[in-house]
Amino acid sequence: MMKNYTTASSVGTRIHMIPGNASKAMASRANSTSSSSGLKKWPAPMVESNGDYREEAFLETHIGGPLYANQRNLPRLPVPNVKDTLQRFLPTALPLAESEEEKKSLEQACKDFPREAEQLQRRLEARSDATTGEFKDSSWLQHWWNTAGYLQVRDTVVINVSYYFHFSDDDTLPDTVANVPVSTTDMRLGVQRAASLVASAAEFRHKVCSGTLPCEALGRKEPKTPLCSTAYKYMFHACRIPQHEQDSYRIYDPSNHRHCIVACRGNFFALDFLQENGVDPLPLSVLEARFSKCVELANAKSSLQGDSPILGWLTSMDRDSWADARSELLRTGGFKMEEALSVLESGAFVVCLDNEVPASRNQCAMQFLTGGLGSGYNRWFDKSIQLICTANGKAGLLGEHSMMDGMPMVGFADHIAKSTYKDAETKFALNPAEDDFTGGVSDIFENCTSDLQSSDSQVASLIDNAKLHFSKLVTDHEITVQSFQAYGSNYIKKAGYSPDAYVQVAIQLATYRLWGKQAGTYEATQVRPFLHGRTETTRSVSLEGEAFVKQMGLRPKHDENDESIRSEKLELLHNAVTGHVKYIGKAAKAMGVDRHFFGLSMMVADGESVPSLYSHPLFVRSKRWRVSTSHLTHPKFDNWGYGEVFPDGVGLSYAIKADSCVFSITTLKENGWTDRLSHLLEEALMEMRTLNDLNKPLVSKL
């Protein structure tokens, strides 16, 4: 019997009325806080997704506007030809062979694959057929990818799923001495940074929720290529929900809510950040007063004996353990807990006020990715967006990855990161009619404390267990940031290379020297020109890259002054860069190899044989992503990053600025690789520059 991967979307109720007393409480809150949101009301207060974009597509039609105007006209994700996939695959795997025998056996497995996969290809084509296919109005891949790739994964989302952005400092904050340690109760800079970010976030939130945000498009010339906007529905008022076997994702009607969530010292507050019209942000001074109120309440609670349980720890657990813990919260807390969780889940986003003063990129990386040992409890890791502001005014963003990739989030981050405190002071000045400095803040779990601390409650022990596992997760990892200042995209382009492909070749050389051999390397490439498209893999290992790194050697040879050697190395470098550009061009058109192989594997029926290629050691090795890379450059980002894919691998994000490059390297501490790889990246980039500089014709000074 064929595996049925299309029925998961029918699990549970698709469109929800908020259950029980929670619905009454939330309706009361909505009525008391928002008379008119300026947004279309949804057919129901909340929609719960089980990973199939088709099921929530009705909201795009309902919301309308420029954001979703192109959805019906977007092309469907193509199913590649098997022969073409194999031709693209072989050059990415052969450099990883450990013997000639392994190469030959892989080539034979590739020869056998078209016959063995013939029926699988037919099934995949039928699934995506534009007229009769089950996914004729979607992507044949998206439901599998959202579920098998994210919602069904049982690991903690911390490090494994989430990603962070580190925003540049805002030098217009009233106190710009950002690195001078301040009292842990002095959150003035964090409050000011939070208020200005939230005021700007309100603008972007309204554009998204009303559909008035222009649709993203690629290209410099008209007509540009529009990108799929489906992911934007999961950006605001959204939360992942832990469940056994497969999580769900709840998205709430934004017309009912004008609150965000504030986390401070492990306490969670609902803070109304929008005016009565549900559109415009409150004046900056009012926002500051409300954030300060949260700090004041949190400080007061932390000074009392018998603090309430710190529930944020629970969201860092593996998904099945967190699902059990959430059930225990609801069992112990009853309808009051049900109401509290609904308020938290429906918040536009979370603002984390951390009582810490990170200074370096390394410190900020751990702070924003995990919260570290000092602030990890001050997160709700399931929320789609968490803005993080520290006591010294540093700021970043933590994104939950399940239903939305990083590029849509970049648009949001761009809007808020380039808006300064000084801008906000002018733009969001106080209207005398709106001077409610004291209201609009409530402690979400305040009414649940006594129930959670009852004699039959297991919540305390669950929190202790979560804390232990989180502490081990964080202490087992290390992040090193390489801020390479010698050159950047300006130099690389003048030398005649694609900056991204050039840096990818440098990564190949650095990791080759780190391990003494090349390893499977993944670069994320978006395929959002297609309906419900997410990403494809660009494989960075190639025959051309192999030739270059082997010629460069496991350590610098310092032979660049020999013209014949230099010319050979430069030719190999150009070939490697050109090869990567070609592959990423194919991947951007959904003509990579990995999603196709994945799709074919999903069409294997129960009891059927799997094509022999899938079990070949070299095939497996080629897609074991020991190096997981992704490129994102933004003038207002100091850094960004994520975790490794495999325990013996690295997460390696990078930015290529005009005159510098920044790499964030995440791996298990026991490997001892981050400092070494940081050095090797610098070494590779400097060697590659030397090759190009020495090849320039000498200019006479006479």
Side-chain angles (χ1 to χ4, degrees), residues 39 62 73 76-77 81 120 234 251 253 260 280 330 350 384 411 459 476 498 530 544 555 563 583 593 636 648 675 700:
L39 301 173
H62 180 77
N73 301 319
R76 274 46 176 177
L77 194 75
N81 176 278
L120 305 180
Y234 311 92
I251 49 179
D253 180 357
C260 66
D280 301 316
L330 290 169
V350 178
S384 56
V459 171
D476 282 352
S498 154
F530 300 97
E544 297 88 349
R555 60 191 57 84
E563 185 176 353
Y583 196 106
V593 305
K636 290 296 183 180
D648 63 343
D675 284 343
S700 173

Side-chain angles (χ1 to χ4, degrees), residues 668-687:
L668 289 171
K669 195 177 295 181
E670 65 183 21
N671 295 324
W673 290 335
T674 59
D675 284 343
R676 291 170 59 196
L677 183 53
S678 176
H679 167 76
L680 292 170
L681 286 166
E682 180 180 29
E683 179 182 85
L685 288 167
M686 291 307 298
E687 276 190 83

Side-chain angles (χ1 to χ4, degrees), residues 547-577:
F548 174 70
V549 300
K550 287 187 173 179
Q551 181 64 27
M552 295 296 285
L554 291 173
R555 60 191 57 84
K557 298 177 181 178
H558 305 294
D559 55 5
E560 295 87 357
N561 286 313
D562 184 311
E563 185 176 353
S564 63
I565 293 176
R566 183 174 70 250
S567 296
E568 181 181 6
K569 288 183 175 179
L570 277 171
E571 182 179 2
L572 293 173
L573 173 58
H574 277 283
N575 291 343
V577 170

Side-chain angles (χ1 to χ4, degrees), residues 94 96-105 618 621:
L94 292 176
L96 305 179
E98 295 179 350
S99 67
E100 287 300 316
E101 298 290 334
E102 198 171 52
K103 286 184 179 180
K104 291 178 181 178
S105 64
L618 187 47
R621 192 179 308 129

Side-chain angles (χ1 to χ4, degrees), residues 217-229:
L218 293 177
R220 296 180 180 178
K221 298 180 180 179
E222 299 293 344
K224 295 182 179 181
T225 301
L227 301 183
C228 181
S229 297

Side-chain angles (χ1 to χ4, degrees), residues 300-371:
K301 289 184 69 173
S302 69
S303 66
L304 298 174
Q305 295 297 321
D307 287 348
S308 57
I310 301 178
L311 302 183
W313 289 119
L314 299 175
T315 69
S316 71
M317 303 171 87
D318 70 84
R319 304 310 295 175
D320 286 339
S321 296
W322 173 206
D324 289 337
R326 190 174 188 276
S327 295
E328 176 63 9
L329 290 178
L330 290 169
R331 183 194 72 80
T332 306
F335 78 88
K336 289 184 289 185
M337 177 57 68
E338 186 177 49
E339 174 194 344
L341 288 173
S342 294
V343 170
L344 192 147
E345 294 162 7
S346 62
F349 41 77
V350 178
V351 179
C352 305
L353 298 177
D354 287 356
N355 300 80
E356 298 193 56
V357 287
S360 68
R361 282 188 173 94
N362 285 3
Q363 290 173 327
C364 288
M366 188 61 79
Q367 188 75 27
F368 298 144
L369 180 59
T370 71

